[in-house]
Amino acid sequence: MGKIIALANQKGGVGKTTTTINLAASLATLEKRVLVVDADPQANASSGLGVDIKQSEYTIYECIIDRTDVRKAIHDTEIESLKVISSHINLVGAEIEMLNLKNREKILKEVLEPLKSQYDYILIDCSPSLGLITINALTAADSVIIPVQAEYFALEGISKLLNTIKIIKSKLNPTLEIEGFLLTMYDSRLRQANQIYDEVKKHFQELVFKTVIQRNVKLSEAPSYGLPTILYDAESTGAKNHLSLAKELISKNKNK
């Protein structure tokens, strides 16, 4: 049975999509069957993995709103064991369309249920908001990875997200766990980055991944070629960091 992991933080620009793309590619390189579900209307995870969103007849939007068979929305990528369900700008309006639907918080869970046995990991890239689609993602997920940018305002807003997770646990998804806090855009030369790391570690202790994602030019270049960094430049710091994160995630789940 696969594990569904949501990557969420309502603060934008924390490296959430970059982490989703590169963690997925690294897990697939380590011979895991991986599916990325792009639940962000900006669809950056889709294009970053080489999916031409203009050519996508079916996306996560049709699966949620029209209940289209989810298998029709799955795209191949450059890595054989890595697949994507792409997003669409229509997802912006989906939250309003969903308001009248029955069990509206659990639609994505129902959509993904038949796929769980076919993948080792299903990663959901959430939009930078705590709207209904993100609530759907957290209700469908077994756990959540929270990327935290190594900068001064990083811890602002985390309490809001933790509060949302708490409400979802009590009302919609009692088994939801925090997989871990992941420090992103880390520059060890900056004293502030080290202070943020210490702060996050002090607050969340064992829940912080040992791996940190360092600032790296290749990480920001790769998506424009529709490639994960591991295919763009396997020797880059960004590729190595995410491979290390994937190994840490696998061993963490092996011991459960």
Side-chain angles (χ1 to χ4, degrees):
M1 211 46 169
K3 182 167 196 179
I4 301 180
I5 303 175
L7 285 93
N9 190 333
Q10 79 276 17
K11 190 175 184 299
V14 297
K16 189 167 37 58
T17 301
T18 303
T19 303
T20 306
I21 292 171
N22 291 293
L23 173 57
S26 299
L27 287 166
T29 306
L30 295 167
E31 298 180 345
K32 299 292 176 191
R33 293 163 307 161
V34 187
L35 175 68
V36 168
V37 179
D38 191 348
D40 183 346
Q42 294 174 62
N44 292 338
S46 308
S47 57
L49 284 167
V51 175
D52 183 352
I53 28 190
K54 292 188 186 73
Q55 300 300 316
S56 299
E57 192 180 345
Y58 300 109
T59 67
I60 194 66
Y61 171 82
E62 283 79 19
C63 298
I64 290 173
I65 301 299
D66 307 328
R67 292 304 179 98
T68 298
D69 181 351
V70 69
R71 285 174 286 259
K72 289 183 177 174
I74 296 173
H75 295 268
D76 293 329
T77 70
E78 295 275 338
I79 301 173
E80 200 178 327
S81 60
L82 173 58
K83 311 289 180 194
V84 190
I85 295 177
S86 65
S87 183
H88 194 279
I89 192 67
N90 286 355
L91 210 55
V92 170
E95 305 209 339
I96 295 161
E97 294 178 65
M98 289 163 79
L99 288 176
N100 300 321
L101 298 179
K102 198 165 156 269
N103 275 343
R104 57 177 185 251
E105 296 90 357
K106 297 186 174 174
I107 297 171
L108 188 58
K109 184 182 175 72
E110 288 164 19
V111 165
L112 297 178
E113 201 56 49
L115 299 176
K116 262 190 111 167
S117 58
Q118 295 168 35
Y119 294 94
D120 299 307
Y121 291 96
I122 297 176
L123 303 184
I124 309 175
D125 184 31
C126 299
S127 67
S129 78
L130 292 176
L132 193 49
I133 301 281
T134 299
I135 288 167
N136 260 266
L138 293 170
T139 303
D142 299 302
S143 67
V144 54
I145 289 176
I146 302 170
V148 180
Q149 194 178 353
E151 59 147 59
Y152 184 64
F153 292 115
L155 295 170
E156 265 192 10
I158 283 186
S159 58
K160 209 185 248 175
L161 176 62
L162 292 178
N163 202 33
T164 303
I165 291 170
K166 204 162 125 189
I167 293 166
I168 286 169
K169 263 183 87 110
S170 68
K171 296 199 167 29
L172 296 165
N173 183 2
T175 57
L176 181 65
E177 291 183 342
I178 292 176
E179 190 72 48
F181 290 84
L182 173 70
L183 217 69
T184 60
M185 304 182 190
Y186 181 77
D187 185 342
S188 56
R189 295 166 305 179
L190 299 178
R191 200 172 78 211
Q192 189 187 31
N194 294 309
Q195 283 171 343
I196 299 290
Y197 182 73
D198 293 342
E199 188 90 352
V200 172
K201 197 83 178 122
K202 194 172 82 188
H203 274 284
F204 305 111
Q205 297 162 359
E206 294 309 304
L207 285 175
V208 183
F209 282 104
K210 291 185 178 70
T211 306
V212 295
I213 308 299
Q214 291 161 274
R215 276 196 184 279
N216 181 242
V217 177
K218 301 286 186 210
L219 272 183
S220 40
E221 284 176 2
S224 61
Y225 294 90
L227 291 171
T229 314
I230 202 159
L231 293 185
Y232 178 64
D233 183 351
E235 289 305 306
S236 66
T237 305
K240 287 175 179 169
N241 286 168
H242 285 94
L243 200 56
S244 154
L245 175 65
K247 288 174 181 167
E248 188 176 344
L249 182 68
I250 291 167
S251 77
K252 199 174 178 184
N253 284 287
K254 210 182 276 172
N255 301 330
K256 283 192 176 175

